[in-house]
Structure formats: C-alpha cells, structure tokens
C-alpha cells in the first residue's frame, strides 16, 4: 500500500491514491500536529493546546482516544510511539509533502550557489509543485494555524522569490511576469516581490509598467504603514528611471545578492567567558546532551531553559557552555539580552527579531513590519544553519516564543522565572540552578583570593561561603573585597563580617547594580504584583526553617487559596523554593532582603500582626495535637 501524507494544502493521507478517513476534525488536528513534527516528540501539552484553546476543556483521555483513532486509520505501516511526555510519529520523509518541499528547496539553493541557475529554477519549481493551497487548509485549530501556518506560508513565499530570481537571471521574463503580478496582488506590502516584478518588466522592455509598479507600492506603503519604499526598492526604481547601462550591473547584483549567491553573515556575539569556571558539572552535562539533537537539521529545535534566583549564575553557566560547544555551530552564535529583569525596558519581540535578522545578514528593508512576519522570516533564515542562540534574561515564555529559530539550531534561555510553559509547549529542558556546594564554592573563592590563602584556614573558607549562602554572585563580591586585603587572615576577615550590622550591605562593591546584591534582588521583587510582594515581605519576618501554605496564610492574614496562589508566584520567581511538596523555604539572603523591605514598607502594626497571627496558629495547632 503506497501512502502519501500531505499538509501543504488540505491535510490528508492517501493510500494508493485514495483518501484515508480519519473519523473527525479532532483526529485530523492530531495528525497534522504529528506530521509537522514528524520523527520528533510532540508534547502532550502542545497537542492539547491545539485541540482545546481553553485550559478547562483539555482532556488527556480524549487525546489518547484521538491518537488511537489515527493509529487505526493508518494501520500497521505507520508507527505512532508513546514517548515520555508526548507522542512521536515515525515516518519516511519521502512520504511527506512538507519534507519533499524543503529538500527540493534546499537543493535549489545549493544549485544557485554553484551557479547552475537552470537546475536551481527546476528544483524551486518542483518544490512549489508540492503545494495544493494554503497549508493546513482544512484543519480547524486556530492555535495550530497560528503556530505553524504563517511560518509555512513564509517558507513558500521565499522559495517563490528564489524561483523568480533564477528565472529573471536566466532572462525568462515572459514566464515570471504573470506569476509575479499575481503574487504582488496577494502580498501588496511585500517589497521584494514588487522589486522583482519591476526588474522583470523593465528587462522585457516595459519600462512604463515597471515604474507604475513602484508608484503603486509606494502609495500602499504610505497609506498602510506610513513608510517610504525601502532602499533596495528605491535603487531599482532609480536604475529603471534612468536606464543607465552602468546601473544594469547593480540590478544583476540585487537579484542574486541575498537570494542566490551570497553567504549569510556568521555572527560571533557571545560575551567573554570567565577565566576560571567552577562547578556546575551536572548542569553542564544536561546542556551537552542537547547538542546532538541540535546538529540534526531535520529535527525540531532543542531548547534549554536555565533558571534560578538572581545571582545564582545563570548567565555565567550559559556563556561558559556556549563557548564550550560554539565550534560545533558553524552558522554562528547569536546573543541577545532580553532585559527581562534589570535596568532599562524589556526588549519586545519585534525589536529582538529585527536585531537577530540583521545579525544574520537580512537587509533592513526586507524585514517585515509585523511580529508574526518577522518571526516567520527568522525561522526561515535560521533553519538548517546550525546556529547557537543565547537568549539571556528572559521575562516570560511569551517573550521567548516568537524568537525560536527553525530546526538545526540550539536555543539556550536564561530566566529568573520558571518557564514551565516553554517546557510544556516546546519541550524545553529546564535546568534549575541551586546554590553551589561547599567544595565548588570554596574553589570559586580561591580563584579570586588565591589557593594558598584558602588552604591555610579551611574552616574560615567554609564560614566564608556559608555567610554568602552558596550564592555565586555573593561569593564573587565578597571575594573581591577580601582580595583587597591580601595580608589579612581569612579568619579575621570572616570575623569582621560577622560583626557587620548590615549583612546585605556586605555584598556591595559600590560599582554599579550588577555587584550590589540588594539591587539584584530588587529586580525580581519589582516584577511581582502588589499582593505577592506583600506576602514576600511578611514571610521574611519570622525566623526558622521551612513553612507551609497555612502558615503563610496566617502571616499575611489571607485565606489558604490566596496564600497558595501567592506562594506559587514567589516560587515561579525563584524568591522562595519548594523544599518538598507543600513546604517552602527562603534563601538566607532573600529572607534578609524581605525582612528589610517589610521594615521600610509595612509599618510596626502590620509586623506585630504577623507575630500575633502566627502565635494564634501555633496555639491552635498545639491544642489540636493535645486532643488527639
């Protein structure tokens, strides 16, 4: 039985040329999602989101039923494997129109780079023949269409532009003009298509019509976007207007510069690695495990999400790892600080996409105006290029999602927020950083003040790192202070620390917010809503070990449900940690910061009320225990 799978148009399966019934619209959504990620695991959460946009309607049992229906419809010749957290459809990619399209388009681009324009045009035409209409045309899932259809449409349009470039370069203007005329009507803001049509008309001896094309798109751009035509379109217009022979060479160059012959820029944007890197071997191992998947250009893009509290060393680890594996990504390394936490405005996805597109050589006048268009262009340009993308200091999954590249790349994200949605919808591997163990923390101290000074008094070194709570940034700040007094015994330095009244003040080098622990913590605090911020402050007042939601409710004077919601926010922001199910704890320095804030903002009555409510809860608990 000869099977054929199609998503470029109506989604369907045929067996020996006859359609295979799937039994409803929802099994069709499931099949479409699995085909778009063929031979890769599709998370249950992502399939569920495509099926049911409303969280309350999602049903794992119903999804399993739809998977079963698809399995039965496809029979024994196709395998849908149940994997940890999702499903994987094993498929010979020659049976899928999307895979054939991409393979042919890649072959066309290679032929163009080799100068064989005739072969390039034939491959591009063959790739386009795989399309039978808009992608996923009969799939009724707004979420799936939003995630995938725009990207596929952009890929198709880019290949159409490459096909037109090749034919114009071959002088086959009569063939390309009708198609470009139709495409310009369908995409009235697409400057590249209008530029190609102008050149093809001009080369056909139709100068007046070419100039009319320029006037039309100029008017549309002004009316719709308030913009003038881009630089490339203006150059083509000037060349056609003057008809100078010297400008003919410019037109030829414009045809091939970005579509056929030019190599993309290779960005090398990683920040400098630390001279000495200590510890994190388990976390590095987890990151290295993603590299083989990233180098397989036919699979989905692996993502690592490095998460943790401010000062825990997320960026340091990400940059160190990126330097370790950078040579395995010949397409380059892109670095972008998204400013999710810290001074300055957060980087909006539209700006981030523009920055990344420019970094790989996309001319500014060819970058779409809207976020979706830019995201689709970024995925198209990055697909298969084996690039490493480091998105530092992200605020949320929503900020990251549009920036994800096409397959054949590795993405490393750092954030103070638990990016659980990125794990659920894109299979990101979460790497949650904890405090450094004593051995690694002491090695970090030694890298700054010298191994001899640490070896002379191991007990003082242990007290030093305990004072810092194992927090790498705190250790580095304090080690720099200690290094200023090389003749002072480490034991004496620690004794002086213990005598300081302002513990948080110990961690400030007076040289900017990056080396001021209060400022570092403040950016996480400012991102909280007012209710969660108040909960954090009041929780910093009691001393002791871990605590529960009922205790937090008593501290804040709220009901259990409200307390649980606030605790979830604080845990997601890495301002508290879950020590075990149902119990939470502070990092010592965060507790000190919270108590300090409460003293400034809550007033004596509010703080006395905390102690009264805690005493009442403790007495009630003791009374209940005695009755038992």
């Amino acid at each position: 039985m000869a099977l054929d799978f199609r998503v470029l148009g109506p989604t369907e399966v045929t067996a020996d040329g006859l359609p295979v019934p799937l039994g409803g619209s929802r099994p069709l959504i499931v099949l479409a999602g699995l085909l778009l990620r063929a031979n890769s695991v599709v998370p249950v959460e992502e399939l569920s989101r495509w099926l049911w946009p409303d969280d309350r309607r999602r049903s794992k049992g119903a999804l399993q039923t739809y998977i079963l229906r698809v399995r039965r419809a496809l029979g024994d010749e196709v395998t849908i494997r149940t994997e940890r957290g999702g499903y994987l459809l094993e498929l010979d990619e020659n049976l899928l129109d999307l895979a054939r399209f991409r393979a042919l388009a890649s072959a066309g681009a290679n032929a163009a780079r080799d100068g064989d324009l005739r072969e390039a045009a034939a491959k591009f035409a063959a790739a386009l023949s795989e399309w039978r209409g808009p992608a996923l045309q009969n799939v009724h899932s707004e979420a799936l269409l939003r995630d995938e259809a725009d990207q596929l449409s952009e890929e198709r349009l880019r290949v159409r532009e490459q096909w037109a470039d090749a034919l114009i370069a071959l002088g086959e203007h009569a063939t390309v003009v009708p198609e470009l005329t139709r495409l310009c009507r369908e995409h009235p803001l697409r400057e590249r298509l209008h530029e190609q049509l102008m050149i093809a008309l001009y080369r056909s001896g139709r100068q007046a019509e070419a100039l009319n094309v320029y006037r039309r798109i100029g008017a549309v751009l002004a009316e719709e976007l308030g913009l003038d035509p881009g630089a490339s379109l203006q150059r083509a217009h000037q060349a056609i207007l003057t008809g100078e022979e010297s400008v003919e060479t410019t037109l030829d160059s414009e045809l091939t510069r970005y579509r056929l012959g030019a190599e993309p820029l290779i960005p090398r944007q990683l920040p400098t690695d630390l001279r000495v890197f200590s510890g994190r071997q388990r976390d590095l191992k987890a990151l290295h495990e993603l590299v083989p998947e990233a180098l397989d250009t036919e699979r989905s893009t692996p993502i690592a999400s490095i998460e943790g509290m401010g000062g825990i060393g997320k960026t340091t680890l990400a940059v160190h790892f990126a330097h370790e594996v950078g040579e395995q990504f010949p397409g380059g390394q892109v670095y972008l600080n998204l400013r999710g936490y810290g001074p300055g405005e957060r980087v909006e996805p539209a700006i981030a996409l523009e920055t990344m597109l420019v970094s790989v050589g996309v001319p500014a006048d060819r970058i779409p105006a809207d976020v979706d268009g830019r995201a689709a262009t970024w995925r198209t340009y990055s697909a298969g290029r084996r690039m490493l993308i480091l998105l530092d200091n992200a605020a949320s999954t929503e900020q990251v999602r549009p920036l994800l590249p096409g397959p054949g790349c590795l993405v490393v994200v750092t954030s103070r927020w638990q990016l659980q949605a990125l794990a659920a919808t894109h299979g990101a591997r979460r790497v949650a950083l904890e405090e450094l163990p004593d051995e690694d923390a002491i090695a970090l101290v030694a890298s700054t003040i010298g191994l001899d000074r640490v070896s002379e008094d191991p007990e003082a070194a242990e007290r030093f790192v305990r004072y810092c709570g194992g927090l790498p940034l705190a250790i580095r700040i304090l080690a720099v202070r200690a290094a200023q007094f090389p003749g002072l015994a480490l034991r004496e330095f620690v004794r002086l620390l213990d005598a300081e009244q302002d513990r948080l003040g110990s961690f400030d080098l007076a040289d900017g917010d990056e080396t001021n622990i209060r400022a570092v913590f403040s950016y996480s605090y400012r991102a909280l809503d007012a209710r969660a911020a108040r909960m954090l402050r009041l929780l910093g007042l009691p001393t002791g070990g871990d605590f529960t939601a009922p205790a937090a409710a008593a501290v804040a004077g709220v009901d259990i449900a409200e307390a649980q919601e606030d605790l979830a926010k604080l845990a997601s922001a890495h301002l508290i940690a879950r020590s075990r199910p149902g119990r939470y704890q502070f990092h010592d320095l965060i507790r000190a910061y919270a108590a300090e804030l409460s003293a400034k903002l809550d007033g004596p009555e509010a703080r006395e009320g905390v102690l009264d409510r805690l005493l009442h809860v403790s007495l009630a608990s003791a009374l209940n225990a005695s009755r038992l």
Side-chain angles (χ1 to χ4, degrees):
M1 180 171 61
L3 292 174
D4 190 32
F5 296 83
R6 302 172 182 175
V7 293
L8 303 181
T11 298
E12 61 183 6
V13 184
T14 63
D16 296 329
L18 299 176
V20 175
L22 294 172
S25 61
R26 295 198 184 279
L28 185 66
I29 294 171
V30 170
L31 176 63
L34 293 174
L35 288 173
L36 291 168
R37 305 276 199 278
N39 299 312
S40 296
V41 175
V42 184
V44 166
E45 291 81 0
E46 191 162 26
L47 288 166
S48 298
R49 183 170 58 85
W50 292 335
L51 286 164
W52 303 286
D54 187 344
D55 289 350
R56 292 169 296 180
R57 297 178 58 194
R58 294 178 185 176
S59 167
K60 188 174 182 180
L63 173 58
Q64 291 172 338
T65 298
Y66 299 142
I67 290 286
L68 181 60
R69 288 188 191 176
V70 175
R71 281 174 171 153
R72 287 174 176 170
L74 299 182
D76 296 335
E77 295 189 32
V78 177
T79 300
I80 299 177
R81 291 210 322 258
T82 302
E83 298 284 344
R84 182 178 180 183
Y87 297 93
L88 182 148
L89 187 152
E90 292 183 343
L91 190 66
D92 179 348
E93 295 192 342
N94 291 323
L95 302 180
L96 177 62
D97 60 357
L98 176 58
R100 295 192 297 266
F101 162 74
R102 286 174 171 166
L104 288 164
S106 178
N110 290 335
R113 279 192 288 270
D114 293 339
D116 191 345
L117 296 180
R118 183 70 60 187
E119 177 69 9
K123 292 296 185 184
F124 291 140
L128 293 170
S129 70
E130 294 288 344
W131 286 75
R132 297 161 292 111
L136 311 173
Q137 190 173 9
N138 59 338
V139 176
H140 302 298
S141 168
E142 291 184 7
L144 180 56
L145 293 175
R146 184 175 58 250
D147 289 352
E148 302 294 335
D150 287 345
Q151 175 187 349
L152 293 173
S153 296
E154 177 64 29
E155 287 187 51
R156 182 187 191 185
L157 193 54
R158 178 171 163 78
V159 173
R160 283 170 158 172
E161 291 173 342
Q162 292 174 309
W163 169 80
D165 279 339
L167 288 184
I168 294 172
L170 289 166
E172 297 186 11
H173 310 118
T175 302
V176 79
V177 164
E179 178 67 10
L180 285 173
T181 300
R182 183 176 65 81
L183 289 173
C184 286
R185 284 198 300 268
E186 294 176 0
H187 305 276
L189 299 175
R190 187 85 170 192
E191 293 190 44
R192 179 59 185 160
L193 290 172
H194 288 78
E195 180 183 350
Q196 290 175 313
L197 178 57
M198 289 166 57
I199 294 171
L201 287 168
Y202 174 71
R203 295 281 178 82
S204 302
R206 300 157 68 177
Q207 183 182 26
E209 292 176 68
L211 294 174
N212 277 335
V213 171
Y214 181 79
R215 281 192 286 271
R216 283 198 301 271
I217 189 173
V220 172
L221 288 171
E223 181 178 351
E224 297 290 333
L225 303 176
L227 298 175
D228 292 327
S232 181
L233 198 58
Q234 291 186 36
R235 286 194 298 269
H237 173 249
Q238 183 63 31
I240 292 169
L241 192 64
T242 61
E244 297 178 6
E245 184 177 347
S246 61
V247 187
E248 288 285 338
T249 304
T250 302
L251 290 175
D252 288 334
S253 175
E254 286 296 325
L255 283 171
T256 58
R257 186 176 176 189
Y258 298 112
R259 291 297 191 271
L260 298 175
E263 291 296 324
L265 293 180
I266 308 297
R268 306 288 185 187
Q269 300 178 344
L270 292 180
T272 304
D273 194 10
L274 284 179
R275 179 179 58 84
V276 178
F277 183 87
S278 179
R280 302 294 189 204
Q281 294 308 308
R282 184 185 65 180
D283 302 311
L284 279 170
K285 182 175 182 292
L287 294 171
H288 276 278
E289 288 172 353
L290 295 175
V291 173
E293 183 181 346
L295 298 180
D296 183 352
T297 58
E298 300 301 321
R299 300 183 65 183
S300 59
T301 299
I303 305 165
S305 174
I306 303 176
E307 305 166 8
M309 63 184 288
I312 200 69
K314 301 177 294 295
T315 299
T316 300
L317 172 64
V319 169
H320 180 71
F321 165 71
H323 278 281
E324 284 191 336
V325 302
E327 293 304 315
Q328 299 183 58
F329 293 88
Q333 303 91 41
V334 174
Y335 172 84
L336 192 61
N337 183 354
L338 297 178
R339 301 187 183 279
Y341 299 87
E345 296 293 325
R346 291 179 182 175
V347 178
E348 295 299 322
I351 302 301
L353 285 164
E354 181 178 15
T355 301
M356 294 193 296
L357 285 167
V358 169
S359 77
V360 296
V362 180
D365 57 289
R366 288 184 172 84
I367 297 176
D370 61 299
V371 172
D372 290 343
R374 289 181 176 187
T377 302
W378 167 241
R379 291 192 295 266
T380 300
Y381 269 84
S382 58
R385 292 194 176 177
R386 293 186 178 175
M387 299 169 62
L388 190 153
I389 318 297
L390 175 47
L391 303 174
D392 194 18
N393 196 11
S396 66
T397 295
E398 290 306 310
Q399 189 185 25
V400 170
R401 187 176 283 126
L403 314 184
L404 298 178
C409 300
L410 174 62
V411 179
V412 179
V413 185
T414 74
S415 181
R416 297 190 186 190
W417 191 260
Q418 293 181 358
L419 302 182
Q420 298 186 70
L422 194 64
T425 61
H426 291 82
R429 175 175 294 187
R430 295 177 59 216
V431 179
L433 300 190
E434 299 176 350
E435 297 85 355
L436 287 177
D438 284 355
E439 182 179 352
D440 293 335
I442 291 171
L444 184 57
V445 177
S447 70
T448 301
I449 69 173
L451 182 59
D452 291 345
R453 196 171 172 192
V454 168
S455 301
E456 287 173 0
D457 197 339
E459 182 181 348
E462 290 178 4
R463 289 171 56 200
F464 184 106
V465 298
R466 281 199 299 272
Y467 187 86
C468 301
L471 192 66
L473 178 61
I475 293 170
R476 291 184 183 280
I477 292 172
L478 214 57
V480 169
R481 285 188 57 193
Q484 295 174 334
F485 307 100
L488 185 66
L490 193 58
R491 179 179 296 273
E492 181 63 17
F493 180 81
V494 174
R495 188 188 67 77
L496 293 173
L497 287 177
D498 290 335
E500 290 187 1
Q501 298 296 313
D502 181 7
R503 184 178 181 185
L504 292 180
S506 303
F507 305 102
D508 181 7
L509 294 179
D511 190 22
D513 285 355
E514 290 184 351
T515 52
N516 177 343
I517 209 72
R518 277 194 185 92
V520 171
F521 291 164
S522 73
Y523 297 125
S524 295
Y525 173 76
R526 293 174 195 173
L528 299 172
D529 61 44
R531 205 180 75 188
R534 176 178 177 272
M535 174 69 82
L536 178 75
R537 296 194 306 269
L538 297 181
L539 284 173
L541 295 177
T543 59
D546 58 4
F547 53 91
T548 63
V555 164
V558 298
D559 61 39
I560 298 290
E562 192 172 305
Q564 289 174 329
E565 185 177 334
D566 289 340
L567 291 173
K569 292 176 184 176
L570 296 177
S572 291
H574 289 282
L575 288 167
I576 61 174
R578 291 184 175 90
S579 55
R580 59 183 186 271
R583 303 196 71 86
Y584 302 85
Q585 65 183 23
F586 269 111
H587 186 281
D588 286 348
L589 297 183
I590 293 287
R591 183 192 290 277
Y593 176 71
E596 185 179 274
L597 285 174
S598 185
K600 291 179 181 178
L601 301 175
D602 293 319
E605 290 185 5
R607 287 179 282 125
E608 288 172 6
V610 169
L611 300 178
D612 289 342
R613 288 190 295 272
L614 273 179
L615 180 60
H616 177 76
V617 169
S618 298
L619 290 174
S621 177
L623 182 60
N624 288 335
S626 66
R627 288 173 178 171
L628 294 175

